[in-house]
Amino acid sequence: MRLLAVISHHGLGHLAQAGPVLNALYSIQPDLDLTIWSGLSTEALQARVYFPFQHRREPADVGLTMIDALKVDTVASHAAYLDFHQDWEHRVDQESEWLKENDFHGVYSDVAYLPLAAAKLAGKPSVAMCSLNWLDIAGTYLSDRPGMGIILDQMENAYRCAQAFLRPIPAMPMAWLPNCEEIAPIADRGHVRRKELLQAVGGRGNTKTVLVGFGGIGYQGDLPEITGVTWLAPDDWIGNRTDLVTFKTQGLSFLDMLASCDALLTKVGYGSFVEAVTHGIPVLYIDRPDWPETPYLADWLIRHGNGVAISESELFTERAGELLDQLWNMSPQPRLETNGAAEAAHRVLNLLES
């Protein structure tokens, strides 16, 4: 099977969903000939997709333009959508011809809509999968902007072109999508390497390590010093502090650090929440009241794991330490066992072969 997989480049959350599904597809069908169309780097893709693939490195959608991991730049996002949808029909036709020229059997998208419209025109089957869709996200922030009405209509029509839209729990409702199918949560797994992690940070058995992860979108600040706590932060969080160490100094993958740490500090996001619950790691998360996914993801986290919200204004104060203590005093929840990736892989194969 020659498959085109399309992965949104808005942070790393879409890759965290798509990677396990593609790996499951490969385990079922090892002759899979995969091309990934994504604005993400090849190195980022290789960290989550564990078999060979070709890479068309360019964005397949707009997503949103971010000021940082929490704040949407609505002006720049609006301009990006106007540019992306300029001469929309011609663009769909071009991509349709590219799909036919490359003889793809079908398209799997998390969760760009242009390839779905192109696949329909080319007579190729397609499957979308994600906990969100860009129509609902862009509509939340941009629906009142000039020219967005027709763009939102084009987005909706494109999503309706897929044979199915697989919706891994927890997810936005998407009641407007007639082709929506609910599937189990999806999460990749890391290895517990706590001893190695503590050796890397110079800590002892009573040292608490808090992993700082914001889904691949830049975010920085002066985290408080908390006795007995070491922050594991992205490489750009540099500073002359003994209680803050960066990822590159650990020699461990992000998933292995997650499996081995004592808590995750993050923003509201599918990959962060589901991977943390899968590994039994408590979550201190920055609330995002404007983000459309927040009520669905936060409710799921509280029901299946241990999570506490903190406001952005409190994050860089002593309040962070108080809430971490609150997390660590909670009764541990059983780790979530889920087969969402395998379920999605079988469904994708069935849909593309039908």
Side-chain angles (χ1 to χ4, degrees), residues 91-331:
R91 187 161 196 182
V92 173
D93 183 65
Q94 281 187 314
E95 297 302 342
S96 172
E97 290 301 316
W98 181 75
L99 291 176
K100 289 188 285 188
E101 289 168 6
N102 284 275
D103 197 27
F104 289 111
H105 185 86
V107 173
Y108 162 83
S109 179
D110 189 331
V111 65
Y113 49 90
L114 170 61
L116 303 176
K120 178 75 170 181
L121 185 60
K124 307 281 186 179
S126 66
V127 182
M129 189 204 79
C130 195
S131 58
L132 59 78
N133 64 82
W134 290 121
L135 171 63
D136 286 333
I137 299 295
T140 297
Y141 295 98
L142 306 173
S143 61
D144 60 344
R145 300 292 176 115
M148 285 302 298
I150 189 171
I151 288 175
L152 295 174
D153 287 343
Q154 290 167 344
M155 294 169 73
E156 179 174 349
N157 291 334
Y159 279 127
R160 289 175 180 267
C161 289
Q163 268 65 19
F165 191 118
L166 306 182
R167 177 178 164 268
I169 297 301
M172 300 173 67
M174 308 188 210
W176 56 271
L177 261 175
N179 54 352
C180 208
E181 299 180 15
E182 182 177 302
I183 61 173
I186 294 172
D188 212 343
R189 296 297 298 265
H191 302 283
V192 178
R193 301 171 65 182
R194 182 167 177 79
K195 183 177 179 180
E196 296 168 68
L197 180 61
L198 289 176
Q199 288 176 341
V201 303
R204 302 176 184 271
N206 60 351
T207 300
K208 297 286 190 182
T209 53
V210 180
L211 181 63
V212 181
F214 286 90
I217 301 178
Y219 188 81
Q220 290 190 34
D222 189 15
L223 293 165
E225 294 187 19
I226 303 172
T227 302
V229 170
T230 297
W231 303 100
L232 310 173
D235 295 339
D236 57 353
W237 288 53
I238 57 176
N240 187 24
R241 294 174 54 170
T242 58
D243 67 327
L244 190 150
V245 294
T246 57
F247 293 169
K248 65 182 177 183
T249 63
Q250 312 314 305
L252 303 177
S253 70
F254 182 87
L255 283 170
D256 286 355
M257 285 191 288
L258 176 62
S260 308
C261 72
D262 295 286
L264 173 68
L265 169 62
T266 188
K267 61 180 176 63
V268 174
Y270 184 97
S272 300
F273 280 18
V274 178
E275 288 176 353
V277 170
T278 300
H279 291 89
I281 302 300
V283 180
L284 178 62
Y285 66 92
I286 304 177
D287 196 15
R288 302 175 73 188
D290 65 311
W291 187 251
E293 283 187 291
T294 293
Y296 311 104
L297 298 186
D299 176 70
W300 183 89
L301 173 64
I302 299 306
R303 286 188 288 113
H304 295 278
N306 289 335
V308 173
I310 188 170
S311 68
E312 187 177 14
S313 62
E314 293 176 320
L315 176 60
F316 304 107
T317 71
E318 60 187 19
R319 180 63 174 157
E322 296 170 0
L323 291 179
L324 284 170
D325 284 337
Q326 181 179 326
L327 270 178
W328 289 323
N329 286 324
M330 292 180 177
S331 299

